[in-house]
Amino acid sequence: MKKALIYAIGAVIMWGTMATMSKLLQGSMDSLTVLFYTCFFATVILFIYNGAKGRLRALKNLPVKVIIRMAAIGSLGVFFYNLLFYLGSARMPAQQAMVVNDLWPALIIVFSCFILGERMTFAKAVAVILSFIGIIVVVTNGNFRDFHFESMAGIIFCLMDAVCYALYSVLGKRETYDKGLAVLVAYASGTVFALIGSLVFGDFSLPEGKQFIGLIYNGIFCNALPYLLWAFALDNGNTAVIANLAYLAPFVSLIVTHFVLGEEITVWSVLGLVLIVSGILLQLKNGASASEKA
């Protein structure tokens, strides 16, 4: 369980930079083009990683139906998740997009009950509620009466990406294939889908200067590495416990947007963090107690 927590925390920190990076990149490139380069750079890193681990030979020996299943499930967590998030964040403030997007950890717990047969406990429910309230406090700065979203289209896109990633996480946990190879196949598929989409529906262009550096960062540190870490965390830990850790991502995002985009960190942000961490600690304590009884 300790190793799973380390993996999950690492993934959350990297994901915390995603909202800011996507906002910066989409200022000069369309969503499909950003997604293509992101998936491409992620695929390169994952190919090198799996090659160093000697796993590429295993990929050649996998049945075609297994590879297709990898690509199908992977498309939920890579192509559709990222594309929908980019479309959503382009239509609303980064912090609002992040809070709607972060419904996916709660959806993981719900889907795990229906798909994996995991039990919904009172502690799990309270942890999710506390964490979500904390996120709302962070985003609204305690002004609940003025809590609103600027774009309904943005809300829908971010809600859909939350559903996609939750399904990806839960369905992937049920599979027995190598998760490192699965993520590689997912990003390779996403590269092809995004390139086709960009050429047909987008405005494909070559990156320049800072765009190139941003796309490399986005591909490696916002995608390839955290996806690997998250898959390993889910494989080695309790789904509900790991899912709740994702609620730290908005706080990391808050810090990043403060230093990069100049957004102010207020006392309400600190209060929100306390609520978020309280929910996480409650679930961790509950998960630890359940492990001791098992």
Side-chain angles (χ1 to χ4, degrees):
M1 184 63 183
K2 182 186 244 181
K3 186 183 292 186
L5 292 178
I6 294 174
Y7 289 150
I9 291 172
V12 166
I13 291 174
M14 294 179 194
W15 272 325
T17 66
M18 184 175 70
T20 297
M21 184 55 63
S22 64
K23 200 76 173 177
L24 291 173
L25 287 172
Q26 290 185 102
S28 55
M29 304 182 78
D30 69 87
S31 298
L32 281 166
T33 301
V34 170
L35 182 55
F36 162 69
Y37 286 112
T38 295
C39 287
F40 173 76
F41 288 124
T43 300
V44 171
I45 295 301
L46 292 168
F47 184 86
I48 294 173
Y49 168 80
N50 283 281
K53 292 290 184 178
R55 292 172 175 169
L56 295 180
R57 296 176 185 174
L59 183 61
K60 295 179 181 179
N61 298 325
L62 286 176
V64 175
K65 63 179 182 180
V66 173
I67 296 178
I68 293 176
R69 194 161 67 243
M70 283 181 172
I73 295 176
S75 66
L76 288 171
V78 174
F79 179 74
F80 289 108
Y81 168 75
N82 280 291
L83 178 59
L84 291 168
F85 180 75
Y86 292 161
L87 291 173
S89 62
R91 289 165 173 77
M92 58 199 302
Q95 285 298 312
Q96 289 186 348
M98 199 70 180
V99 73
V100 178
N101 170 72
D102 265 8
L103 286 174
W104 65 265
L107 292 175
I108 285 179
I109 296 176
V110 175
F111 292 158
S112 293
C113 294
F114 290 101
I115 298 175
L116 303 179
E118 295 186 3
R119 188 166 62 94
M120 172 63 75
T121 65
F122 178 74
K124 289 179 183 179
V126 172
V128 170
I129 292 172
L130 278 176
S131 297
F132 189 68
I133 291 175
I135 292 173
I136 293 177
V137 170
V138 169
V139 175
T140 63
N141 283 326
N143 192 354
F144 298 102
R145 288 182 302 176
D146 291 338
F147 181 53
H148 67 280
F149 294 102
E150 297 182 0
S151 169
M152 181 57 67
I155 294 174
I156 294 174
F157 283 132
C158 289
L159 282 173
M160 290 171 63
D161 82 57
V163 171
C164 285
Y165 196 78
L167 285 173
Y168 162 76
S169 297
V170 174
L171 293 175
K173 187 176 178 66
R174 191 174 59 177
E175 297 293 331
T176 58
Y177 48 61
D178 184 280
K179 295 305 186 294
L181 287 177
V183 176
L184 171 60
V185 171
Y187 272 97
S189 302
T191 300
V192 175
F193 296 153
L195 177 59
I196 295 174
S198 181
L199 291 173
V200 177
F201 303 106
D203 184 19
F204 184 81
S205 61
L206 296 175
E208 301 177 357
K210 292 181 179 179
Q211 287 180 336
F212 187 75
I213 295 174
L215 289 166
I216 291 178
Y217 177 89
N218 202 42
I220 297 175
F221 295 102
C222 293
N223 285 270
L225 289 184
Y227 268 73
L228 275 175
L229 292 175
W230 192 254
F232 295 151
L234 288 172
D235 241 17
N236 292 279
N238 180 278
T239 305
V241 175
I242 298 302
N244 273 280
L245 286 174
Y247 283 107
L248 282 173
F251 181 70
V252 176
S253 181
L254 189 72
I255 295 175
V256 175
T257 54
H258 169 70
F259 287 104
V260 178
L261 303 179
E263 295 185 5
E264 181 185 0
I265 297 178
T266 67
V267 65
W268 293 106
S269 299
V270 177
L271 176 59
L273 175 63
V274 171
L275 289 171
I276 293 169
V277 173
S278 296
I280 293 170
L281 292 178
L282 174 63
Q283 184 53 49
L284 290 175
K285 181 178 179 180
N286 180 66
S289 299
S291 298
E292 291 173 1
K293 293 177 182 177

